[in-house]
Amino acid sequence: MLYKQKKNPAPKGNRFLISITVQGSAGPIRFVVNEEELVAAVIDTALKSYAREGRLPILGSDLNDFFLYCPNACSGALSPWDTIGSPGVRNFMLCKKPQTEKIGEAGTLETAIARRGSGKWKTWLNKSLNLKISSH
């Protein structure tokens, strides 16, 4: 009897470990991704992992409510249609999108972003990375 080895199809692209820090959570989520995976799929995986681990604060499961940022790069949020390997980094930050106010009492649509919470992630990021330069 000859033993036939099963051949697993070779994964497309490189796989690497990423670390996603969730704003307000105690520590990062780490998992392996394919460099060709879309950012939207990575956000979905991160939210499922976060919920499975029972982390706080509770985030929800709608990936459209979140942005994925590269804290090292000064650019804005990654597009959900970009591949996760395109920025060339392995550390990310997951932030909830700011809530917009609903239709006002006068019947006008207010598109202003709620002021409460705006800019908190940048402050937190600067404090956590200790980017302050001492003057002495």
Side-chain angles (χ1 to χ4, degrees), residues 71-89:
N72 302 0
C74 293
S75 63
L78 298 173
S79 166
W81 306 113
D82 286 343
T83 58
I84 196 68
S86 64
V89 295

Side-chain angles (χ1 to χ4, degrees), residues 100-112:
T100 56
E101 294 182 14
K102 296 183 181 180
I103 297 176
E105 293 174 9
T108 61
L109 180 64
E110 298 178 22
T111 58

